[in-house]
Amino acid sequence: MTRETDPVAVATTVVEMAQNGRYGEIEEVFAPPLRAVVSADTLRVAWEAQISTMGPIVSVGTPISEPAKAGLVRVSIPVAYEQGGLTVVTSIDEAGLLQGLQLAPALTAEWSPPPYARGKRFDEHEVTVGSGAMAVPGTMSVPRGRGPRPAVVLLSGGGPFDQDATSGPNKPLKDLAWGLASRGVAVLRFDKVTHAHADQVAAQPGFTIRDEYVPHAVAAVHLLQRHPAVDAARVYVAGHSAGGKVAPRVAAAEPSVAGLVLLAADAEPMPQAAVRVVRHLASLDPGPAMQAAVEMITRQAAMTDSPDLSPDTPATDLLFGYTAAYYLDLRDYDPVATASALDRPMLILQGGRDFQVTVADDLSRWRAGLAHRPDVTIRVHDADDHMFFSGSGPSAPSDYESPQHVDPAVVADIAGWLAPRQGMLARLASVVTR
């Protein structure tokens, strides 16, 4: 039997098979690199979890195809559920095999600026972060008027995020960039390499969290330092979630980083956190699909955390399809100890309603490990969730599906934390140059 090679036909068939529960047949069209990290069981749990959360599928939209790198074609198919939607994004090679498969947030209305953004106070221009085949696009937001300015590199959380950390209709990193630029801080944000070069990353079995963040973060720091409107001595790194977790590693790799802002930075080991979060989600939405997710995540977490984990352990046995190399590297990295050893000031912000990174399970570790540091400021915004969206009551993933903006108090915290340093360094420069 001849295999279908038309990318649109392949993607359409994949969605049809998923609708009919034929996950094993989908796995048969996976290219070897994808098969190494995603199993039919993983796909089943992910697909059925969407149905459990948003209800049955009511329609499948028209496929949109576009060229991708390295001879691939990316086909996106919107899927509407009774209470939401998502986009099935596939990367298909010339042989009709899937090199990539992602269940992404549905395409939504255009983002609108937060009320605290003042577009006339800054300019934006596109930049390239890094060099060579793995360079990524970014955007620099530079305040108008006299410099030099303090500057911040933004790092998004875990997953293949674009430079805005787009999640449904929301763009929290763009909120932060525009809010800070409106307050006189230059900002650089960029697509993660796992977003811009997903297929190349998937083909690297030795890819680690260091590879995911550090090279591009350091390149972004240097890019800001070379900008004429930026004070090279006042370039900070601000990371959200996993980006906050890895921010101390960036500062350890690049001594010129002036300080860190950690936003909902996780410190609990990932296997423990994954089980805690999936059990929380199952409590919000009990049912067979979520119970299957709990069982799968618990099983994968045990393997990920096992002393028997080796470079040869299949990624399909581990959490979220990351490789054994990724977890072995992460196991050797202690974010709190790394931060404690740095001689740089830090601002740590946490949402009180965050169920992913919590006050009890994560912030407590930062507090204990940095209690001896007078240059560490910690603040909790009780009404904020993981994205620093304000609300009330228990937080849930569905909260991210409605248009929201990062809490203005968070933007003010970051800008205010930088402000005393701006004044202090300006006064010092004035004294030295007299």
Side-chain angles (χ1 to χ4, degrees):
M1 180 177 177
T2 303
R3 182 189 301 276
E4 177 63 67
T5 58
D6 176 70
V8 171
V10 172
T12 301
T13 300
V14 165
V15 173
E16 291 174 353
M17 289 191 293
Q19 286 181 274
N20 295 321
R22 293 153 52 196
Y23 307 108
E25 293 180 47
I26 298 176
E27 187 179 14
E28 291 177 4
V29 298
F30 284 178
L34 183 60
R35 190 174 301 174
V37 298
V38 179
S39 67
D41 189 42
T42 304
L43 182 59
R44 175 183 64 81
V45 169
W47 187 269
E48 293 179 0
Q50 297 296 333
I51 295 175
S52 174
T53 301
M54 297 188 289
I57 293 172
V58 295
S59 66
V60 176
T62 302
I64 301 173
S65 63
E66 56 184 331
K69 295 182 178 180
L72 301 177
V73 174
R74 182 175 291 110
V75 181
S76 302
I77 301 179
V79 178
Y81 296 77
E82 279 189 347
Q83 302 177 40
L86 56 77
T87 303
V88 180
V89 182
T90 57
S91 294
I92 301 168
D93 63 21
E94 296 175 350
L97 296 175
L98 269 68
Q99 296 283 351
L101 175 62
Q102 180 185 2
L103 304 182
L107 300 177
T108 57
E110 185 177 351
W111 173 87
S112 60
Y116 46 78
R118 300 290 185 269
K120 293 182 179 180
R121 295 182 182 178
F122 63 93
D123 297 306
E124 284 197 323
H125 61 273
E126 296 179 356
V127 296
T128 298
V129 179
S131 60
M134 301 299 269
V136 300
T139 300
M140 192 178 293
S141 308
V142 182
R144 296 174 182 175
R146 295 182 59 186
R149 305 283 188 174
V152 174
V153 172
L154 297 183
L155 304 179
S156 61
F161 280 111
D162 64 13
Q163 61 186 272
D164 300 327
T166 301
S167 179
N170 301 301
K171 297 179 180 291
L173 286 199
K174 192 170 184 177
D175 288 348
L176 285 173
W178 282 37
L180 291 172
S182 298
R183 289 173 171 264
V185 180
V187 183
L188 176 54
R189 64 192 193 275
F190 55 90
D191 290 353
K192 288 183 66 176
V193 68
T194 48
H195 174 85
H197 303 291
D199 303 314
Q200 292 93 318
V201 169
Q204 298 179 23
F207 189 81
T208 67
I209 195 170
R210 183 193 182 284
D211 302 321
E212 186 179 9
Y213 284 99
V214 176
H216 292 91
V218 170
V221 169
H222 293 165
L223 196 58
L224 279 172
Q225 289 172 334
R226 292 194 296 268
H227 195 283
V230 170
D231 183 345
R234 292 188 287 163
V235 177
Y236 297 77
V237 171
H240 175 251
S241 196
K245 180 177 191 171
V246 81
R249 197 169 187 177
V250 174
E254 180 46 64
S256 67
V257 171
L260 300 176
V261 180
L262 310 183
L263 298 146
D266 51 305
E268 184 181 21
M270 190 182 289
Q272 298 174 30
V275 172
R276 171 179 57 78
V277 170
V278 75
R279 286 177 176 168
H280 171 76
L281 296 177
S283 71
L284 298 177
D285 183 29
M290 287 307 303
Q291 183 56 40
V294 170
E295 293 172 358
M296 184 185 76
I297 293 296
T298 302
R299 182 175 64 253
Q300 292 176 337
M303 180 62 73
T304 301
D305 202 33
S306 170
D308 297 327
L309 180 67
S310 76
D312 298 327
T313 304
T316 50
D317 293 344
L318 305 175
L319 287 168
F320 314 124
Y322 292 137
T323 65
Y326 190 96
Y327 284 113
L328 289 169
D329 173 74
L330 193 57
R331 182 181 290 181
D332 291 336
Y333 171 59
D334 184 334
V336 177
T338 302
S340 179
L342 296 171
D343 59 351
R344 263 66 64 86
M346 283 170 267
L347 172 64
I348 301 177
L349 302 179
Q350 174 68 44
R353 297 173 54 245
D354 190 343
F355 70 85
Q356 294 167 256
V357 175
T358 71
V359 171
D361 300 290
D362 298 276
L363 186 61
S364 61
R365 287 175 162 85
W366 293 108
R367 279 177 165 156
L370 300 172
H372 64 291
R373 293 282 300 274
D375 59 346
V376 174
T377 301
I378 299 177
R379 293 175 185 163
V380 177
H381 292 264
D382 291 330
D384 290 357
D385 62 17
H386 187 59
M387 296 291 188
F388 290 94
F389 300 150
S390 295
S392 60
S395 175
S398 57
D399 295 342
Y400 308 149
E401 297 172 9
S402 59
Q404 301 183 71
H405 290 297
V406 169
D407 186 347
V410 170
V411 178
D413 270 355
I414 299 172
W417 183 75
L418 292 172
R421 289 164 176 76
Q422 295 182 44
M424 178 183 67
L425 289 172
R427 290 191 297 271
L428 178 60
S430 175
V431 170
V432 170
T433 55
R434 281 176 184 168

